Amino acid sequence: MTERHSRKLQGSAARLLRDRGGNFGMLTALLIPVLLVTAGGALDVTLAMAEKARLQGELDAAVLAAARDTDAQGQLDRARGYMSDLPESSKELAELAVNGTSLALVQNPDGSLTANFSKPHRTYFLGLIGMDEIPLGLTATAMTSGEKTGGACIYALGNQNQAVLINSGANLKSENCEVHVHSTSSPAFIMNAGARIETRRFCVKGTQNIRNGGTLTNLETGCAAEADPYAGKLPEPVVPSTCTTQGTKDGQRITMKPGLHCGTTFNGSPTVTFEPGLHIIRGRMIINSGATVIAEGVTFYFPDVDSELRANGGLTFTATAPTTGPYAGILMFEKTSDPNNNRNKRQYIFNGSRGEILKGIIHLPNRDVTYNSTTNQKSQISLVVNTIIMNSANWQVEPYEATASSSSAGGVRLTQ
């Protein structure tokens, strides 16, 4: 091969490489967007799935909270309220939930509750091909667990004469409330003239009673009274060694922080506001006539049978249980894990209020309760006592629907 021919071949090879290099550069330019969308799209999808997992946890918590309620509006309000309290990282979810644009609740035939939530997840790379958002759809289903309280709103557990005494002027009206009396003594209950008790069911385990007149609807004797649904299931707190408040309190407006209150008395007729949380009352807390008590999101706990919240009549009283936390659904309860405490029954008086609104579980199985109060709106309670005396009072009450579990009064579980 001559030198001239060799140079010619080398020139041809160089031109071929230049041509192919140009093609490769063009091909690379065409592939870069595809590679960017592919790799970036994978990142978008990964971020979307991480966001979905985060939201799923929050939706699970929301449906668990909502399942504690029984009516559709109450469930939706509770879910919205719970989701509104989410940390700052969930602000977008909270706003969407509150506006009602992405949150839906469905009551299922088996009694469970399903929450559906959807929101768009903004993309960074898939927008290059017109996909600006990845839709996220989430669902969670919860069902109450543990023993259901049923329709009962009053349980009288004592097996003694006149475990229930209904005096003249007592007026109890409820569409759905059931009263369950465990006494098999003679008489198990006494009802005097001038009383009117209208409930869905008045179940008495015993068969002997004395009725001196009055109106008592849907009486059943010799029936299977429901057991205490909360026995051994309410979480008893450790009582602090020092008192948060103690002694006499003065002033027209008094705010009580959660903690231990020891032998407290309020002078005059103040407005007393209990901040949300657990309030442990040791000894007697006395609230004078004419006072106003506001206790929303509050649990009252009595560490022994000598402790009580005593109102001296003429009280305006509004109290609702917390909706979340270890004491969810519990408005008022006492120590029952001490056998010595359980052997010593004590009187407890709901005394002469001008107006009373209660919502939650009131678990006082060691108390002989006297009820003298008036409700100007329907209270929603599940009241467990040893015995009860109903004196002259107007009482509107419906059952507080909750469940009992080992960890709280309103146990629920996820099924999906």
Side-chain angles (χ1 to χ4, degrees):
M1 181 182 296
T2 66
E3 182 179 349
R4 181 179 177 184
H5 185 64
S6 177
R7 286 199 301 269
K8 186 176 181 180
L9 288 177
Q10 289 176 1
S12 298
R15 284 194 300 273
L16 179 61
L17 288 174
R18 283 198 299 271
D19 292 342
R20 289 183 177 178
N23 291 337
F24 181 77
M26 184 179 296
L27 182 61
T28 301
L30 292 173
L31 287 177
I32 284 176
V34 176
L35 295 173
L36 186 62
V37 169
T38 302
L43 178 60
D44 279 336
V45 171
T46 300
L47 293 175
M49 292 303 99
E51 175 72 353
K52 184 175 182 178
R54 179 181 70 82
L55 294 178
Q56 186 67 58
E58 293 168 352
L59 187 64
D60 289 348
V63 75
L64 285 169
R68 299 178 190 278
D69 220 313
T70 55
D71 66 280
Q73 187 59 48
Q75 289 172 337
L76 185 58
D77 290 344
R78 182 170 288 198
R80 287 174 174 173
Y82 179 87
M83 296 170 79
S84 296
D85 293 334
L86 292 172
E88 186 65 22
S89 63
S90 303
K91 184 177 180 182
E92 184 180 23
L93 171 61
E95 289 175 350
L96 286 170
V98 170
N99 292 333
T101 58
S102 300
L103 176 66
L105 299 180
V106 178
Q107 293 176 326
N108 302 312
D110 64 355
S112 62
L113 179 70
T114 296
N116 296 307
F117 182 80
S118 61
K119 73 177 290 286
H121 175 76
R122 185 180 180 86
T123 62
Y124 297 96
F125 298 98
L126 292 176
L128 294 172
I129 57 173
M131 186 181 291
D132 296 323
E133 297 173 342
I134 296 176
L136 300 180
L138 301 92
T139 186
T141 299
M143 176 176 282
T144 56
S145 60
E147 186 176 359
K148 195 85 165 49
T149 64
C153 58
I154 300 175
Y155 301 82
L157 305 179
N159 187 18
Q160 59 197 74
N161 292 341
Q162 61 185 54
V164 174
L165 173 60
I166 305 170
N167 284 324
S168 179
N171 188 353
L172 169 61
K173 185 172 183 178
S174 173
E175 295 179 359
N176 300 303
C177 177
E178 294 184 7
V179 178
H180 289 257
V181 182
H182 282 245
S183 177
T184 56
S185 297
S186 180
F189 78 93
I190 296 176
M191 181 173 184
N192 291 318
R196 189 176 188 88
I197 307 298
E198 297 178 274
T199 60
R200 186 174 70 178
R201 187 180 181 215
F202 197 102
C203 170
V204 184
K205 192 172 184 179
T207 58
Q208 302 298 315
N209 59 82
I210 297 175
R211 294 183 60 188
N212 297 316
T215 300
L216 177 60
T217 62
N218 301 316
L219 171 64
E220 297 179 27
T221 59
C223 67
E226 289 183 7
D228 178 0
Y230 312 112
K233 298 177 181 179
L234 304 186
E236 296 179 355
V238 176
V239 179
S241 58
T242 58
C243 301
T244 305
T245 57
Q246 187 171 13
T248 302
K249 303 288 289 184
D250 296 304
Q252 288 302 306
R253 294 186 176 275
I254 301 171
T255 299
M256 302 290 287
K257 294 187 176 299
L260 175 62
H261 312 299
C262 306
T264 309
T265 299
F266 299 94
N267 284 335
S269 301
T271 295
V272 182
T273 301
F274 291 86
E275 292 185 350
L278 177 65
H279 293 261
I280 302 173
I281 298 177
R282 189 169 66 192
R284 181 173 291 176
M285 176 178 282
I286 299 175
I287 303 176
N288 288 328
S289 177
T292 297
V293 174
I294 302 170
E296 297 178 343
V298 165
T299 297
F300 294 107
Y301 175 70
F302 307 115
D304 55 66
V305 292
D306 294 313
S307 298
E308 65 173 316
L309 180 67
R310 175 67 64 91
N312 290 329
L315 192 70
T316 301
F317 194 94
T318 301
T320 63
T323 58
T324 59
Y327 305 104
I330 308 173
L331 178 59
M332 188 179 295
F333 74 123
E334 65 181 355
K335 186 179 182 69
T336 56
S337 61
D338 183 357
N340 292 327
N341 194 58
N342 298 340
R343 282 192 288 266
N344 295 298
K345 310 303 182 187
R346 292 287 190 276
Q347 185 183 49
Y348 193 99
I349 300 176
F350 289 88
N351 214 1
S353 68
R354 293 196 304 262
E356 179 179 83
I357 303 171
L358 304 176
K359 185 174 182 179
I361 295 164
I362 302 174
H363 191 248
L364 302 173
N366 294 320
R367 307 303 178 104
D368 296 318
V369 167
T370 298
Y371 196 88
N372 300 321
S373 296
T374 293
T375 56
N376 48 16
Q377 296 185 38
K378 287 182 181 179
S379 289
Q380 298 178 41
I381 61 170
S382 182
L383 174 66
V384 180
V385 300
N386 185 51
T387 66
I388 185 169
I389 298 174
M390 301 181 194
N391 285 328
S392 180
N394 292 315
W395 195 3
Q396 299 180 63
V397 62
E398 295 297 339
Y400 179 78
E401 297 285 356
T403 57
S405 71
S406 59
S407 60
S408 72
V412 291
R413 58 185 174 87
L414 289 171
T415 62
Q416 179 180 334

